[in-house]
Coordinates of all heavy atoms in Angstrom, one line a residue:
M1317 N 198.8 70.0 167.7 CA 198.7 71.3 168.3 C 198.0 71.2 169.7 O 197.0 70.5 169.8 CB 197.9 72.2 167.4 CG 197.8 73.7 167.9 SD 196.9 74.8 166.8 CE 198.0 74.9 165.4
K1318 N 198.6 71.8 170.7 CA 198.0 71.8 172.0 C 196.6 72.5 172.0 O 196.4 73.4 171.2 CB 198.9 72.5 173.0 CG 200.2 71.8 173.3 CD 201.0 72.5 174.3 CE 202.2 71.8 174.7 NZ 203.0 72.6 175.7
T1319 N 195.8 72.1 172.9 CA 194.4 72.6 173.0 C 194.5 74.1 173.3 O 193.8 74.9 172.7 CB 193.6 71.9 174.0 OG1 193.6 70.5 173.7 CG2 192.2 72.4 174.1
D1320 N 195.4 74.5 174.2 CA 195.5 75.9 174.6 C 196.0 76.8 173.4 O 195.5 77.9 173.2 CB 196.4 76.1 175.8 CG 195.9 75.6 177.1 OD1 194.6 75.4 177.1 OD2 196.6 75.4 178.0
T1321 N 196.9 76.2 172.7 CA 197.4 76.9 171.5 C 196.4 77.1 170.4 O 196.2 78.2 169.9 CB 198.7 76.2 170.9 OG1 199.6 76.0 172.0 CG2 199.3 76.9 169.8
A1322 N 195.6 76.0 170.2 CA 194.5 76.1 169.2 C 193.4 77.1 169.7 O 193.0 77.9 168.8 CB 193.9 74.7 169.1
K1323 N 193.1 77.1 170.9 CA 192.1 78.1 171.4 C 192.6 79.5 171.3 O 191.9 80.4 170.9 CB 191.7 77.8 172.9 CG 190.9 76.6 173.0 CD 190.5 76.4 174.5 CE 189.6 75.1 174.6 NZ 189.3 74.9 176.0
D1324 N 193.9 79.7 171.6 CA 194.5 81.0 171.5 C 194.5 81.5 170.0 O 194.1 82.7 169.7 CB 195.9 81.0 172.0 CG 196.5 82.3 172.2 OD1 195.8 83.3 172.6 OD2 197.7 82.5 171.8
L1325 N 194.8 80.6 169.1 CA 194.8 81.0 167.7 C 193.4 81.3 167.2 O 193.2 82.2 166.5 CB 195.5 79.8 166.9 CG 195.6 80.1 165.4 CD1 196.4 81.3 165.1 CD2 196.2 78.8 164.7
E1326 N 192.5 80.5 167.7 CA 191.1 80.7 167.3 C 190.6 82.1 167.8 O 189.9 82.8 167.0 CB 190.2 79.6 167.9 CG 188.7 79.8 167.6 CD 187.8 78.7 168.3 OE1 188.2 78.3 169.4 OE2 186.8 78.4 167.8
L1327 N 190.9 82.5 169.0 CA 190.6 83.8 169.5 C 191.1 84.9 168.7 O 190.4 85.9 168.3 CB 191.0 83.9 171.0 CG 190.6 85.2 171.7 CD1 189.1 85.4 171.7 CD2 191.2 85.2 173.1
V1328 N 192.4 84.8 168.3 CA 193.1 85.8 167.5 C 192.4 85.9 166.1 O 192.1 87.0 165.6 CB 194.6 85.5 167.3 CG1 195.2 86.4 166.3 CG2 195.3 85.7 168.6
L1329 N 192.2 84.8 165.5 CA 191.6 84.8 164.1 C 190.1 85.3 164.2 O 189.7 86.1 163.3 CB 191.6 83.4 163.5 CG 193.0 82.9 163.2 CD1 193.0 81.4 162.7 CD2 193.7 83.8 162.2
K1330 N 189.4 84.9 165.2 CA 188.0 85.4 165.3 C 188.0 86.9 165.6 O 187.1 87.6 165.1 CB 187.3 84.7 166.5 CG 186.8 83.3 166.1 CD 186.0 82.7 167.2 CE 185.3 81.4 166.9 NZ 184.5 80.9 168.0
S1331 N 189.0 87.4 166.3 CA 189.0 88.8 166.6 C 189.2 89.7 165.3 O 188.9 90.9 165.3 CB 190.1 89.2 167.6 OG 191.4 89.1 167.0
L1332 N 189.7 89.1 164.3 CA 189.9 89.8 163.0 C 188.9 89.4 161.9 O 189.0 89.8 160.8 CB 191.3 89.7 162.5 CG 192.3 90.5 163.3 CD1 193.8 90.2 162.9 CD2 192.0 92.0 163.3
A1333 N 188.0 88.5 162.2 CA 187.1 88.0 161.3 C 185.8 88.9 161.2 O 184.7 88.4 161.2 CB 186.7 86.5 161.6
N1334 N 186.1 90.2 161.0 CA 185.0 91.1 161.0 C 185.6 92.4 160.3 O 186.7 92.8 160.6 CB 184.6 91.5 162.4 CG 183.5 92.5 162.4 OD1 183.8 93.7 162.3 ND2 182.3 92.1 162.7
K1335 N 184.8 92.9 159.3 CA 185.3 94.0 158.5 C 185.6 95.2 159.4 O 186.6 95.9 159.2 CB 184.1 94.4 157.6 CG 184.4 95.7 156.8 CD 183.2 96.1 155.9 CE 183.4 97.5 155.4 NZ 182.2 98.0 154.8
R1336 N 184.8 95.5 160.4 CA 185.1 96.7 161.3 C 186.4 96.5 162.1 O 187.1 97.4 162.2 CB 183.9 96.9 162.2 CG 182.6 97.3 161.5 CD 182.7 98.6 160.9 NE 181.4 99.1 160.4 CZ 181.1 100.2 160.0 NH1 182.1 101.1 159.8 NH2 179.9 100.5 159.6
R1337 N 186.6 95.3 162.6 CA 187.8 95.1 163.4 C 189.0 95.1 162.5 O 190.1 95.6 162.9 CB 187.7 93.8 164.1 CG 186.6 93.8 165.2 CD 186.7 92.7 166.2 NE 186.2 91.4 165.6 CZ 185.0 91.0 165.7 NH1 184.0 91.7 166.3 NH2 184.7 89.8 165.2
I1338 N 188.9 94.7 161.2 CA 190.0 94.9 160.3 C 190.3 96.4 160.0 O 191.4 96.8 160.0 CB 189.8 94.1 159.0 CG1 189.8 92.6 159.2 CG2 190.8 94.5 157.9 CD1 189.3 91.8 158.1
E1339 N 189.2 97.1 159.9 CA 189.4 98.6 159.7 C 190.1 99.2 160.9 O 190.9 100.1 160.8 CB 188.0 99.3 159.5 CG 187.4 99.0 158.2 CD 186.0 99.5 158.0 OE1 185.5 100.3 158.9 OE2 185.3 99.2 157.0
I1340 N 189.7 98.8 162.1 CA 190.3 99.3 163.4 C 191.8 99.0 163.4 O 192.6 99.8 163.7 CB 189.5 98.8 164.6 CG1 188.1 99.4 164.7 CG2 190.4 99.0 165.9 CD1 187.3 98.7 165.8
F1341 N 192.1 97.7 163.2 CA 193.5 97.3 163.2 C 194.3 98.0 162.2 O 195.4 98.5 162.5 CB 193.6 95.8 163.0 CG 194.9 95.2 163.4 CD1 195.1 94.8 164.7 CD2 195.9 95.0 162.5 CE1 196.3 94.3 165.1 CE2 197.2 94.5 162.9 CZ 197.4 94.1 164.2
T1342 N 193.8 98.2 161.0 CA 194.5 98.9 160.0 C 194.7 100.4 160.4 O 195.8 100.9 160.2 CB 193.8 98.8 158.6 OG1 193.6 97.4 158.3 CG2 194.5 99.5 157.5
F1343 N 193.7 101.0 160.9 CA 193.8 102.4 161.3 C 194.8 102.6 162.4 O 195.6 103.5 162.3 CB 192.4 102.9 161.8 CG 192.4 104.2 162.4 CD1 192.6 105.3 161.5 CD2 192.1 104.5 163.7 CE1 192.6 106.6 162.0 CE2 192.1 105.8 164.2 CZ 192.3 106.8 163.4
L1344 N 194.8 101.7 163.4 CA 195.8 101.8 164.5 C 197.2 101.5 163.9 O 198.2 102.0 164.4 CB 195.4 100.8 165.6 CG 194.2 101.2 166.4 CD1 193.8 100.2 167.4 CD2 194.4 102.6 167.1
Q1345 N 197.3 100.6 163.0 CA 198.6 100.3 162.4 C 199.2 101.5 161.7 O 200.4 101.8 161.8 CB 198.4 99.2 161.3 CG 199.6 98.9 160.5 CD 200.8 98.3 161.2 OE1 200.7 97.9 162.3 NE2 201.9 98.2 160.5
L1346 N 198.3 102.3 161.0 CA 198.8 103.5 160.3 C 198.9 104.7 161.2 O 199.8 105.5 161.0 CB 197.8 103.8 159.2 CG 197.7 102.7 158.1 CD1 196.5 103.1 157.1 CD2 199.0 102.6 157.3
K1347 N 198.0 104.9 162.2 CA 198.0 106.1 162.9 C 198.5 106.0 164.4 O 198.8 107.0 165.0 CB 196.6 106.6 163.0 CG 195.9 106.9 161.7 CD 196.6 108.1 161.0 CE 195.9 108.4 159.7 NZ 196.6 109.5 159.0
G1348 N 198.7 104.8 164.9 CA 199.2 104.6 166.2 C 198.1 104.8 167.3 O 196.9 104.7 167.0
R1349 N 198.5 105.0 168.5 CA 197.6 105.1 169.6 C 196.5 106.2 169.4 O 196.8 107.3 169.1 CB 198.5 105.5 170.9 CG 197.7 105.7 172.1 CD 198.7 106.0 173.2 NE 198.1 106.3 174.5 CZ 198.1 107.6 175.0 NH1 198.7 108.6 174.3 NH2 197.5 107.8 176.1
R1350 N 195.3 105.7 169.6 CA 194.1 106.6 169.5 C 193.0 106.3 170.5 O 193.0 105.2 171.0 CB 193.5 106.5 168.1 CG 194.4 106.9 166.9 CD 194.5 108.4 166.9 NE 195.2 108.9 165.7 CZ 196.5 109.2 165.7 NH1 197.3 109.1 166.8 NH2 197.1 109.7 164.6
S1351 N 192.2 107.3 170.8 CA 191.1 107.1 171.7 C 189.9 106.4 171.1 O 189.8 106.4 169.8 CB 190.7 108.4 172.3 OG 190.0 109.2 171.3
V1352 N 189.1 105.8 171.9 CA 187.9 105.2 171.3 C 187.1 106.2 170.5 O 186.6 105.8 169.4 CB 187.0 104.6 172.5 CG1 185.8 103.9 171.9 CG2 187.8 103.6 173.3
V1353 N 186.9 107.4 171.0 CA 186.1 108.4 170.3 C 186.7 108.6 168.9 O 185.9 108.7 167.9 CB 186.1 109.7 171.0 CG1 185.5 110.8 170.2 CG2 185.4 109.5 172.4
V1354 N 188.0 108.8 168.7 CA 188.6 109.0 167.5 C 188.5 107.8 166.5 O 188.2 107.9 165.3 CB 190.1 109.4 167.6 CG1 190.9 109.4 166.3 CG2 190.2 110.7 168.4
I1355 N 188.7 106.6 167.1 CA 188.5 105.4 166.3 C 187.1 105.3 165.8 O 186.8 105.0 164.6 CB 188.9 104.2 167.1 CG1 190.4 104.2 167.5 CG2 188.6 102.9 166.3 CD1 190.9 103.2 168.5
A1356 N 186.1 105.5 166.7 CA 184.7 105.4 166.3 C 184.4 106.4 165.2 O 183.7 106.0 164.2 CB 183.8 105.7 167.5
K1357 N 184.9 107.6 165.3 CA 184.6 108.6 164.2 C 185.3 108.2 162.9 O 184.7 108.3 161.9 CB 185.2 110.0 164.7 CG 184.9 111.1 163.8 CD 185.4 112.4 164.3 CE 185.1 113.5 163.4 NZ 185.5 114.8 163.9
E1358 N 186.5 107.7 163.0 CA 187.2 107.3 161.8 C 186.5 106.1 161.0 O 186.4 106.2 159.8 CB 188.6 106.8 162.1 CG 189.4 106.3 161.0 CD 189.8 107.2 159.9 OE1 189.8 108.5 160.2 OE2 190.0 106.8 158.7
I1359 N 186.0 105.1 161.8 CA 185.4 104.0 161.1 C 183.8 104.2 160.9 O 183.2 103.3 160.5 CB 185.7 102.7 161.8 CG1 185.1 102.6 163.2 CG2 187.2 102.4 161.8 CD1 185.2 101.2 163.8
K1360 N 183.4 105.3 161.4 CA 181.9 105.7 161.3 C 181.0 104.6 161.9 O 180.1 104.0 161.3 CB 181.6 105.9 159.8 CG 182.3 107.0 159.1 CD 182.1 107.1 157.7 CE 182.8 108.2 157.0 NZ 184.2 108.2 157.1
L1361 N 181.3 104.4 163.2 CA 180.5 103.5 164.0 C 180.3 104.1 165.4 O 181.0 105.0 165.8 CB 181.4 102.2 164.2 CG 180.7 100.9 164.6 CD1 179.6 100.5 163.6 CD2 181.7 99.8 164.8
S1362 N 179.2 103.7 166.0 CA 178.9 104.2 167.3 C 180.0 104.0 168.3 O 180.8 103.0 168.2 CB 177.6 103.7 167.9 OG 177.8 102.3 168.3
F1363 N 180.1 104.8 169.3 CA 181.0 104.6 170.4 C 180.9 103.3 171.1 O 181.9 102.6 171.3 CB 180.8 105.8 171.5 CG 181.8 105.7 172.6 CD1 183.0 106.3 172.6 CD2 181.4 105.0 173.8 CE1 183.9 106.2 173.6 CE2 182.3 104.9 174.9 CZ 183.5 105.5 174.8
R1364 N 179.7 102.9 171.4 CA 179.4 101.6 172.0 C 179.8 100.4 171.2 O 180.5 99.5 171.7 CB 177.9 101.5 172.3 CG 177.5 100.3 173.1 CD 176.0 100.3 173.4 NE 175.7 99.4 174.4 CZ 174.7 99.4 175.2 NH1 173.8 100.4 175.0 NH2 174.5 98.5 176.1
S1365 N 179.5 100.4 169.9 CA 179.9 99.3 169.1 C 181.4 99.2 168.9 O 182.0 98.2 168.9 CB 179.2 99.4 167.7 OG 177.9 99.2 167.8
T1366 N 182.0 100.4 168.7 CA 183.5 100.5 168.6 C 184.1 99.9 169.9 O 185.1 99.2 169.8 CB 183.9 101.9 168.3 OG1 183.3 102.4 167.1 CG2 185.4 102.0 168.2
S1367 N 183.6 100.3 171.0 CA 184.2 99.8 172.3 C 184.1 98.3 172.4 O 185.1 97.7 172.8 CB 183.4 100.4 173.5 OG 183.7 101.8 173.6
K1368 N 183.0 97.7 171.9 CA 182.9 96.3 172.0 C 183.9 95.6 171.1 O 184.5 94.6 171.5 CB 181.5 95.9 171.6 CG 180.5 96.2 172.7 CD 179.1 95.7 172.3 CE 178.1 96.1 173.4 NZ 176.7 95.6 173.0
H1369 N 184.1 96.1 169.9 CA 185.1 95.6 169.0 C 186.5 95.7 169.6 O 187.3 94.7 169.5 CB 185.1 96.3 167.6 CG 183.9 96.0 166.8 ND1 183.6 94.7 166.3 CD2 182.9 96.8 166.3 CE1 182.6 94.7 165.6 NE2 182.1 96.0 165.5
L1370 N 186.8 96.8 170.2 CA 188.1 97.1 170.8 C 188.4 96.1 171.9 O 189.5 95.6 172.1 CB 188.3 98.5 171.2 CG 188.4 99.5 170.0 CD1 188.1 100.9 170.5 CD2 189.8 99.4 169.4
Q1371 N 187.4 95.9 172.8 CA 187.5 95.0 173.9 C 187.8 93.6 173.4 O 188.6 92.9 174.0 CB 186.2 95.1 174.8 CG 186.1 96.3 175.5 CD 184.7 96.5 176.2 OE1 184.0 95.5 176.3 NE2 184.4 97.7 176.6
L1372 N 187.1 93.1 172.4 CA 187.3 91.8 171.9 C 188.8 91.7 171.4 O 189.5 90.7 171.7 CB 186.3 91.5 170.7 CG 186.3 90.1 170.3 CD1 184.9 89.8 169.8 CD2 187.3 89.8 169.2
M1373 N 189.3 92.7 170.7 CA 190.6 92.6 170.1 C 191.7 92.7 171.3 O 192.7 92.1 171.2 CB 190.8 93.8 169.1 CG 189.9 93.6 167.9 SD 189.9 95.0 166.8 CE 191.5 94.9 166.1
Y1374 N 191.3 93.5 172.3 CA 192.2 93.6 173.5 C 192.3 92.2 174.2 O 193.4 91.8 174.5 CB 191.7 94.6 174.4 CG 192.4 94.7 175.8 CD1 193.6 95.2 175.9 CD2 191.8 94.2 176.9 CE1 194.3 95.3 177.1 CE2 192.4 94.2 178.1 CZ 193.7 94.8 178.2 OH 194.4 94.8 179.4
R1375 N 191.1 91.6 174.4 CA 191.1 90.2 175.0 C 191.9 89.2 174.2 O 192.5 88.2 174.8 CB 189.7 89.8 175.3 CG 189.0 90.5 176.4 CD 187.7 89.8 176.9 NE 186.8 89.6 175.8 CZ 185.8 90.4 175.4 NH1 185.7 91.6 176.1 NH2 185.0 90.2 174.5
A1376 N 191.9 89.4 172.9 CA 192.7 88.4 172.0 C 194.2 88.7 172.1 O 195.0 88.0 171.5 CB 192.2 88.6 170.6
G1377 N 194.6 89.8 172.7 CA 196.0 90.2 172.8 C 196.6 91.0 171.7 O 197.8 91.2 171.6
L1378 N 195.7 91.5 170.8 CA 196.2 92.3 169.7 C 196.4 93.7 170.0 O 197.2 94.4 169.4 CB 195.2 92.1 168.5 CG 195.0 90.7 168.0 CD1 194.0 90.7 166.9 CD2 196.3 90.1 167.6
L1379 N 195.7 94.2 171.0 CA 195.7 95.7 171.3 C 196.2 95.9 172.8 O 195.9 95.1 173.7 CB 194.3 96.3 171.1 CG 193.7 96.3 169.7 CD1 192.4 97.0 169.7 CD2 194.7 96.8 168.7
A1380 N 196.9 97.0 173.0 CA 197.2 97.5 174.3 C 196.2 98.5 174.7 O 195.6 99.2 173.8 CB 198.6 98.0 174.3
R1381 N 195.9 98.7 175.9 CA 194.9 99.7 176.4 C 195.4 100.5 177.5 O 196.0 99.9 178.4 CB 193.6 98.9 176.8 CG 192.5 99.8 177.3 CD 191.2 99.0 177.6 NE 191.4 98.0 178.6 CZ 190.5 97.0 178.9 NH1 189.4 97.0 178.2 NH2 190.8 96.1 179.8
E1382 N 195.2 101.8 177.5 CA 195.5 102.7 178.6 C 194.3 103.5 178.9 O 193.6 104.0 178.0 CB 196.7 103.6 178.2 CG 197.9 102.9 177.8 CD 198.9 103.9 177.2 OE1 199.2 105.0 177.8 OE2 199.4 103.7 176.1
Q1383 N 194.1 103.7 180.2 CA 193.0 104.6 180.6 C 193.6 105.9 181.3 O 194.5 105.8 182.1 CB 192.1 103.9 181.6 CG 190.9 104.8 182.0 CD 189.6 104.0 182.1 OE1 189.6 102.8 182.0 NE2 188.6 104.7 182.3
D1384 N 193.1 107.0 180.8 CA 193.5 108.3 181.3 C 192.3 109.1 181.7 O 191.7 109.7 180.9 CB 194.3 109.1 180.2 CG 194.9 110.4 180.7 OD1 194.9 110.6 182.0 OD2 195.3 111.2 179.9
G1385 N 191.9 108.9 183.0 CA 190.6 109.5 183.4 C 189.5 108.8 182.7 O 189.4 107.6 182.8
L1386 N 188.7 109.5 182.0 CA 187.5 108.9 181.3 C 187.9 108.5 179.9 O 187.1 107.8 179.2 CB 186.4 109.9 181.2 CG 185.8 110.3 182.6 CD1 184.7 111.4 182.3 CD2 185.2 109.1 183.3
V1387 N 189.1 108.8 179.4 CA 189.5 108.5 178.0 C 190.3 107.2 178.0 O 191.2 107.0 178.8 CB 190.4 109.6 177.5 CG1 190.8 109.3 176.0 CG2 189.7 111.0 177.5
V1388 N 189.9 106.3 177.1 CA 190.5 105.0 176.9 C 191.3 105.1 175.6 O 190.7 105.4 174.6 CB 189.5 103.8 177.0 CG1 190.3 102.5 176.8 CG2 188.8 103.8 178.3
W1389 N 192.5 104.7 175.6 CA 193.4 104.8 174.5 C 193.8 103.3 174.1 O 194.0 102.5 174.9 CB 194.7 105.5 174.8 CG 194.5 106.9 175.2 CD1 194.2 107.4 176.4 CD2 194.5 108.1 174.3 NE1 194.1 108.8 176.4 CE2 194.3 109.2 175.1 CE3 194.7 108.2 172.9 CZ2 194.2 110.5 174.6 CZ3 194.7 109.5 172.4 CH2 194.4 110.6 173.2
Y1390 N 193.8 103.1 172.8 CA 194.2 101.8 172.2 C 195.3 101.9 171.2 O 195.4 102.9 170.5 CB 193.0 101.1 171.5 CG 192.0 100.5 172.5 CD1 190.9 101.2 172.9 CD2 192.1 99.2 173.0 CE1 190.0 100.7 173.8 CE2 191.2 98.7 173.9 CZ 190.1 99.4 174.3 OH 189.2 98.9 175.2
S1391 N 196.1 100.9 171.2 CA 197.2 100.8 170.2 C 197.5 99.3 169.9 O 197.0 98.5 170.7 CB 198.4 101.5 170.7 OG 198.9 100.9 171.9
I1392 N 198.2 99.0 168.9 CA 198.6 97.7 168.6 C 199.6 97.3 169.7 O 200.5 98.0 170.1 CB 199.2 97.5 167.2 CG1 198.1 97.8 166.2 CG2 199.9 96.2 167.1 CD1 198.6 97.8 164.8
D1393 N 199.4 96.1 170.3 CA 200.2 95.6 171.4 C 201.6 95.2 170.9 O 201.7 94.0 170.4 CB 199.6 94.5 172.2 CG 200.3 94.1 173.4 OD1 201.5 94.6 173.6 OD2 199.8 93.4 174.2
R1394 N 202.6 96.0 170.9 CA 203.9 95.7 170.3 C 204.7 94.8 171.2 O 205.8 94.4 170.8 CB 204.7 97.0 170.2 CG 204.0 98.1 169.3 CD 204.0 97.6 167.8 NE 203.3 98.6 167.0 CZ 203.0 98.4 165.8 NH1 203.4 97.3 165.2 NH2 202.4 99.3 165.1
K1395 N 204.1 94.4 172.4 CA 204.8 93.4 173.2 C 204.3 92.0 172.9 O 204.9 91.0 173.4 CB 204.6 93.7 174.7 CG 205.2 95.0 175.1 CD 204.9 95.3 176.5 CE 205.5 96.7 176.9 NZ 205.1 97.1 178.3
N1396 N 203.3 91.9 172.1 CA 202.7 90.6 171.8 C 203.1 90.1 170.4 O 202.8 90.8 169.4 CB 201.1 90.7 171.9 CG 200.5 89.3 171.7 OD1 200.9 88.5 171.0 ND2 199.4 89.2 172.4
P1397 N 203.8 89.0 170.3 CA 204.3 88.5 169.1 C 203.2 88.3 168.0 O 203.4 88.6 166.8 CB 204.9 87.1 169.4 CG 205.2 87.2 170.8 CD 204.2 88.1 171.4
K1398 N 202.0 87.9 168.4 CA 200.9 87.7 167.5 C 200.5 89.0 166.9 O 200.3 89.1 165.7 CB 199.7 87.1 168.2 CG 199.9 85.6 168.6 CD 198.7 85.2 169.4 CE 198.8 85.9 170.7 NZ 198.0 85.3 171.8
A1399 N 200.4 90.1 167.7 CA 200.0 91.4 167.2 C 201.1 91.9 166.3 O 200.8 92.6 165.2 CB 199.8 92.3 168.4
I1400 N 202.4 91.7 166.6 CA 203.5 92.2 165.8 C 203.4 91.5 164.4 O 203.5 92.2 163.4 CB 204.8 92.0 166.5 CG1 204.9 92.8 167.7 CG2 206.0 92.2 165.5 CD1 206.1 92.5 168.6
L1401 N 203.2 90.2 164.4 CA 203.1 89.5 163.2 C 202.0 89.9 162.3 O 202.1 90.2 161.1 CB 203.0 88.0 163.5 CG 202.9 87.0 162.3 CD1 204.1 87.1 161.4 CD2 202.6 85.6 162.7
L1402 N 200.8 90.1 162.9 CA 199.7 90.6 162.2 C 199.9 92.0 161.6 O 199.5 92.3 160.5 CB 198.4 90.5 163.0 CG 197.8 89.1 163.2 CD1 196.7 89.1 164.2 CD2 197.3 88.6 161.9
A1403 N 200.5 92.9 162.4 CA 200.8 94.2 162.0 C 201.7 94.2 160.8 O 201.5 95.0 159.8 CB 201.5 95.0 163.1
K1404 N 202.7 93.3 160.8 CA 203.6 93.2 159.6 C 202.8 92.7 158.4 O 203.0 93.1 157.3 CB 204.8 92.2 159.9 CG 205.8 92.8 160.8 CD 206.9 91.8 161.1 CE 207.9 92.4 162.1 NZ 209.0 91.5 162.4
L1405 N 201.9 91.7 158.6 CA 201.1 91.2 157.5 C 200.2 92.3 156.9 O 200.1 92.4 155.7 CB 200.2 90.1 158.1 CG 200.4 88.7 157.5 CD1 199.9 87.7 158.5 CD2 199.9 88.5 156.2
F1406 N 199.6 93.1 157.8 CA 198.8 94.2 157.4 C 199.6 95.2 156.6 O 199.1 95.8 155.6 CB 198.0 94.8 158.5 CG 196.8 94.2 158.9 CD1 196.7 92.8 159.4 CD2 195.6 94.8 158.8 CE1 195.6 92.2 159.7 CE2 194.3 94.2 159.1 CZ 194.4 92.9 159.6
A1407 N 200.8 95.5 157.1 CA 201.6 96.5 156.4 C 202.0 96.0 155.0 O 202.0 96.8 154.0 CB 202.9 96.8 157.3
Y1408 N 202.4 94.7 154.9 CA 202.7 94.1 153.7 C 201.6 94.2 152.7 O 201.7 94.4 151.5 CB 203.2 92.7 153.9 CG 203.5 91.9 152.6 CD1 204.7 92.2 152.0 CD2 202.7 91.0 152.1 CE1 205.0 91.5 150.8 CE2 203.0 90.3 150.9 CZ 204.2 90.6 150.3 OH 204.5 90.0 149.1
S1409 N 200.4 93.9 153.2 CA 199.2 93.9 152.3 C 198.8 95.3 151.8 O 198.0 95.4 150.8 CB 198.0 93.3 153.0 OG 197.5 94.1 154.0
H1410 N 199.3 96.4 152.4 CA 199.0 97.7 152.0 C 200.2 98.4 151.2 O 200.1 99.6 151.0 CB 198.7 98.6 153.2 CG 197.3 98.2 153.8 ND1 197.2 97.3 154.8 CD2 196.1 98.7 153.5 CE1 195.9 97.2 155.0 NE2 195.2 98.0 154.3
E1411 N 201.2 97.6 150.8 CA 202.3 98.2 150.0 C 201.9 98.3 148.6 O 201.0 97.6 148.1 CB 203.5 97.3 150.1 CG 204.1 97.4 151.5 CD 205.4 96.5 151.6 OE1 205.7 95.7 150.7 OE2 206.1 96.6 152.6

């Protein structure tokens, strides 16, 4: 395995190696695009902590991000094959 590929895989796996981030990914899988405020309220976590989790998942390529004024929206990145594969895995695990 190439070093870049291994590092990329490590980043993706680490981005989901946390209960809160799994909750976020599952929530976005089920509900679609949501703001940081809504996600924080849903998972019962502070805005600041939620933002940090979302940024990590965004940097790993799992989430897409859009900014509309002061509101930041996140969704699963449907253009990224890793995110699509994980979304399918999560959907399968919730059947």
Side-chain angles (χ1 to χ4, degrees):
M1317 183 181 288
K1318 291 182 180 179
T1319 303
D1320 290 343
T1321 304
K1323 285 182 182 180
D1324 190 41
L1325 181 58
E1326 179 184 29
L1327 182 61
V1328 169
L1329 293 175
K1330 280 184 176 182
S1331 74
L1332 288 174
N1334 177 282
K1335 175 187 169 192
R1336 295 294 191 171
R1337 291 192 288 269
I1338 291 170
E1339 289 175 8
I1340 290 168
F1341 195 85
T1342 302
F1343 177 67
L1344 292 173
Q1345 170 71 8
L1346 296 172
K1347 301 295 183 179
R1349 179 177 171 253
R1350 293 291 187 261
S1351 70
V1352 178
V1353 172
V1354 171
I1355 296 167
K1357 186 175 179 181
E1358 174 67 24
I1359 66 168
K1360 297 172 179 59
L1361 195 62
S1362 73
F1363 179 88
R1364 185 179 196 157
S1365 293
T1366 302
S1367 289
K1368 287 181 181 181
H1369 286 299
L1370 289 164
Q1371 288 170 15
L1372 191 147
M1373 295 170 74
Y1374 172 75
R1375 284 193 305 271
L1378 299 179
L1379 301 181
R1381 177 173 62 190
E1382 298 171 52
Q1383 183 138 6
D1384 184 16
L1386 296 176
V1387 179
V1388 180
W1389 299 86
Y1390 283 92
S1391 60
I1392 293 174
D1393 188 350
R1394 302 289 178 189
K1395 295 178 184 173
N1396 186 324
K1398 294 173 288 197
I1400 294 167
L1401 179 61
L1402 284 170
K1404 287 180 181 179
L1405 246 158
F1406 274 63
Y1408 178 75
S1409 70
H1410 286 90
E1411 288 182 350

